[in-house]
Amino acid sequence: MARTRAHNPRPFKREKHDHRRCVTTALDRAAKVCAAKGARLTAIRRQVLELVWQSHRPAGAYDILAALGRKRDYVAPPTVYRALEFLRAQGLVHRIESLNAFVGCERPGEPHCGQFLICRACGRAAEMADGRIEAAVRRGLAEAGFALERPTVEALGLCPDCQPPAEAGNA
Amino acid sequence: MARTRAHNPRPFKREKHDHRRCVTTALDRAAKVCAAKGARLTAIRRQVLELVWQSHRPAGAYDILAALGRKRDYVAPPTVYRALEFLRAQGLVHRIESLNAFVGCERPGEPHCGQFLICRACGRAAEMADGRIEAAVRRGLAEAGFALERPTVEALGLCPDCQPPAEAGNA
DNA sequence: GGCCGGGTGTTATCTTATAACATAACGTTC
DNA sequence: GAACGTTATGTTATAAGATAACACCCGGCC
């Protein structure tokens, strides 16, 4: 249970950050992860991953489909779904169930339970890695005699940037 | 934050329980909740709720649609979706996002964050109410500056009844 | 060459969900 | 008890999301 740090105190990126860096980092990590596992990060899979990382807003499979159609010849839905399934199996993307959409994983390679904050105003999703939440979930489920395989936490709400200008000490 | 008890130690019902009692309890509670709020539990809504409670397996909207079609004249999808939305707004059913399906709420009236264990073998879903999980989630999100509105936890795995006969002390 | 397996292409279809508008039921007011 | 506003339901069509089934291609290997 080597936990690098308790959690990330700022899961939402600043509005203006160097996003190309997010993308290249993600692609680099993906290459490493796939190489380590002997999995083939083909051209399509790479492009789909890149499109998922196009922004921090979860991307629907058909959004990706449309965007991919602009980069290369038309591809059909199964192609995209297959790529997404591959990326998910490698831990490179997460699926946001409540949105039927996908986001890039911030911590590929480190097994973790998905924890997502979804802003209903700006549409961005941020991944948390709060060890205390994960521990609480694992403990609760274990006590219930449940053999846990894939826990996810999804929270809908307002990100710091989208909240009204702070009435009183409610933050 | 009046919490009746820390959590329910046995979220999954026994295979053989008096399920009619689950249903009648749910319908009674629903009537009370709606009466208290001045919401109208109409015939369709009641029937949909009853169908959701038909079992402890999450029911898809179109399953309900089909079942409802057997009880009364054909109804179209929007009718079912509207009823489900109403029931959800009243806190009488939960949506299991990862299954696109609905289950009856075990604790209508008590506001809580949804916590579900979903057995991938038997298909049943059980609702937990672990205050420690909820507290951990709320704390983590508050620290991230996120204004939380609707957190849900969904865990896929194997329920106690569906696990292989217990190798060693892994529970 | 011939075979195998993984990846992709292709077609069709299935499931899930909602938009948009029409009608009916209910409650209130006078 | 007629008129009105409100809420609930009916109806039609379609959008959005996902997958089944089968064909083909390509690289590696014997």
Side-chain angles (χ1 to χ4, degrees):
Chain A
M1 293 288 178
R3 190 190 304 148
T4 32
R5 48 184 168 177
H7 68 296
N8 175 359
R10 177 186 282 284
F12 278 95
K13 300 270 180 190
R14 295 181 183 283
E15 295 228 29
K16 298 223 167 188
H17 63 284
D18 184 358
H19 188 61
R20 276 166 313 180
R21 199 150 167 281
C22 294
V23 178
T24 55
T25 303
L27 291 175
D28 285 353
R29 283 183 184 164
K32 279 191 193 100
V33 167
C34 288
K37 294 190 187 185
R40 290 172 52 192
L41 186 59
T42 63
I44 284 188
R45 290 167 175 174
R46 220 182 109 91
Q47 286 178 317
V48 168
L49 181 60
E50 199 174 347
L51 289 168
V52 167
W53 273 99
Q54 204 70 313
S55 84
H56 292 283
R57 287 177 235 290
Y62 278 71
D63 299 337
I64 293 167
L65 183 65
L68 197 55
R70 270 173 247 129
K71 289 195 165 196
R72 50 160 63 221
D73 282 350
Y74 170 80
V75 297
T79 301
V80 171
Y81 280 100
R82 285 190 283 231
L84 288 169
E85 193 195 339
F86 168 86
L87 294 170
R88 193 184 188 188
Q90 308 305 319
L92 297 170
V93 304
H94 291 287
R95 180 184 164 83
I96 309 287
E97 300 290 353
S98 56
L99 299 178
N100 296 331
F102 299 82
V103 285
C105 175
E106 307 267 0
R107 288 171 180 70
E110 302 175 36
H112 56 282
C113 97
Q115 302 171 4
F116 302 98
L117 315 184
I118 303 151
C119 181
R120 64 170 167 74
C122 67
R124 289 185 300 166
E127 181 172 0
M128 279 203 312
D130 188 328
R132 298 164 306 178
I133 294 176
E134 179 154 3
V137 171
R138 290 196 182 281
R139 183 179 51 180
L141 302 205
E143 285 176 9
F146 191 77
L148 184 56
E149 290 172 3
R150 185 147 51 88
T152 64
V153 178
E154 296 184 13
L156 190 71
L158 290 176
C159 74
D161 295 339
C162 291
Q163 290 171 38
E167 294 281 327
N170 193 25
Chain B
M1 294 288 178
R3 190 189 304 148
T4 31
R5 48 185 167 175
H7 68 295
N8 175 359
R10 177 186 282 284
F12 278 95
K13 301 269 178 191
R14 296 180 183 283
E15 295 228 28
K16 299 224 167 186
H17 63 284
D18 183 358
H19 188 61
R20 277 167 312 179
R21 199 150 167 281
C22 294
V23 178
T24 56
T25 303
L27 292 174
D28 285 353
R29 284 183 183 164
K32 279 192 192 100
V33 167
C34 288
K37 294 192 188 184
R40 292 171 52 192
L41 187 60
T42 63
I44 285 188
R45 290 166 175 176
R46 220 183 107 89
Q47 286 177 316
V48 168
L49 181 59
E50 198 174 347
L51 288 168
V52 167
W53 274 100
Q54 204 70 311
S55 83
H56 292 283
R57 285 176 236 290
Y62 279 71
D63 298 337
I64 293 166
L65 183 65
L68 197 56
R70 270 173 247 128
K71 288 195 164 195
R72 49 161 63 220
D73 282 349
Y74 169 80
V75 296
T79 301
V80 170
Y81 279 100
R82 284 191 283 232
L84 288 169
E85 193 194 340
F86 167 87
L87 295 170
R88 193 184 187 187
Q90 307 306 318
L92 297 170
V93 304
H94 291 287
R95 179 184 164 82
I96 308 287
E97 301 289 353
S98 56
L99 298 177
N100 296 331
F102 299 82
V103 285
C105 174
E106 307 267 359
R107 287 172 180 70
E110 303 174 36
H112 56 283
C113 97
Q115 302 171 3
F116 302 97
L117 316 184
I118 304 151
C119 180
R120 65 170 165 74
C122 66
R124 288 184 301 166
E127 181 172 0
M128 279 203 311
D130 188 328
R132 297 164 307 179
I133 293 176
E134 179 154 3
V137 171
R138 290 196 181 282
R139 183 179 51 179
L141 302 205
E143 285 176 10
F146 192 76
L148 184 56
E149 291 171 4
R150 186 148 51 87
T152 65
V153 178
E154 296 183 13
L156 190 71
L158 290 175
C159 76
D161 295 340
C162 291
Q163 290 171 37
E167 293 283 328
N170 193 24

